[in-house]
Amino acid sequence: MPTTDAYGQGVQIAALTDAPNAATLAFNLADPIVQRSIMRFASASARAATLTSPVEGMTTWLQDVNVLEVYDGTAWRGVFYGATVWSSYTPSWTATTTNPSLGNGTIAGSYMKVGTTCSVFIKLVIGSTTNRGSGTYKFSLPFTAATITNSDPGSLMASFSRAVTPNHGVGDVLLLNGGTTTDQVWFPNASVVGDANVWTDNSPWTPASTNVFRIWGTYQTA
């Protein structure tokens, strides 16, 4: 009569008194071990076709979306994994009509991606030779935003600092489903209390040397 492993995982181990059967021995070892390891599937639909009755604690890797998930007895839940330190990237600063150029200004970005969640930070400093371009400003994201049914992949915060009134303010940054850049950035109107304007080359004001702009937050990635 087979016994089970010493760790209580239900892996059957043949006894010396069992009738010899190599196939049964192999299956009794392989099947319990495989379902307790990280199983790889091409997609969620491929997994569903194979694991018709998943068991609590099963863990799988979906190759099409690069997602690690564990079954909690009711549904497959994402397992957070990924970088433990922030990485740097150089955001592209663009405008809807004419792209700006940095000149002696600076732009820098950093991010950390854990699973499908990305935290990002962008800092832009306007220089004396910066060409502000024209149109609505946008910034490239480190990863493509997710597409969320009846919703958005998230939104970011933004702030400005400058030497004249108003010298500091906070706005918000819209993100579009499947976007590779930010969408509209909204800042408080410099002259109308309670109003806000989309950030462009001349609204809510014309960006000037030493102005500092920051964008930060978390969004869902594709």
Side-chain angles (χ1 to χ4, degrees):
M1 188 71 177
T3 59
T4 56
D5 67 280
Y7 298 97
Q9 297 303 298
V11 179
Q12 293 188 338
I13 302 171
L16 293 175
T17 55
D18 293 336
N21 190 318
T24 298
L25 174 64
F27 278 112
N28 285 347
L29 289 173
D31 284 354
I33 291 174
V34 167
Q35 68 172 298
R36 288 164 173 78
S37 64
I38 299 176
M39 295 175 281
R40 290 170 289 181
F41 295 95
S43 63
S45 58
R47 178 181 64 191
T50 303
L51 303 180
T52 54
S53 300
V55 177
E56 185 175 353
M58 282 184 170
T59 305
T60 64
W61 174 264
L62 301 181
Q63 294 169 315
D64 60 338
V65 291
N66 294 329
V67 170
L68 184 67
E69 294 183 328
V70 62
Y71 191 72
D72 67 358
T74 302
W76 291 99
R77 308 293 185 185
V79 178
F80 292 118
Y81 69 93
T84 56
V85 296
W86 285 67
S87 299
S88 299
Y89 86 108
T90 302
S92 296
W93 176 29
T94 59
T96 52
T97 303
T98 303
N99 287 334
S101 58
L102 273 175
N104 60 359
T106 61
I107 189 170
S110 57
Y111 67 89
M112 179 187 287
K113 185 172 183 288
V114 180
T116 57
T117 300
C118 181
S119 297
V120 61
F121 178 82
I122 299 170
K123 181 179 180 181
L124 168 68
V125 181
I126 305 298
S128 60
T129 61
T130 296
N131 185 322
R132 66 181 187 274
S134 61
T136 301
Y137 289 145
K138 298 185 178 183
F139 297 85
S140 63
L141 299 169
F143 298 94
T144 300
T147 297
I148 309 299
T149 303
N150 298 324
S151 187
D152 301 320
S155 61
L156 307 176
M157 298 293 293
S159 69
F160 65 85
S161 299
R162 59 186 197 145
V164 296
T165 303
N167 60 9
H168 183 78
V170 177
D172 62 292
V173 184
L174 306 184
L175 297 180
L176 295 178
N177 282 318
T180 58
T181 70
T182 61
D183 193 40
Q184 296 172 335
V185 180
W186 289 80
F187 279 129
N189 189 316
S191 57
V192 180
V193 176
D195 188 28
N197 295 128
V198 175
W199 185 24
T200 71
D201 59 293
N202 56 22
S203 177
W205 61 85
T206 301
S209 180
T210 73
N211 285 185
V212 179
F213 300 91
R214 297 175 175 89
I215 293 174
W216 70 94
T218 301
Y219 70 100
Q220 300 177 66
T221 65

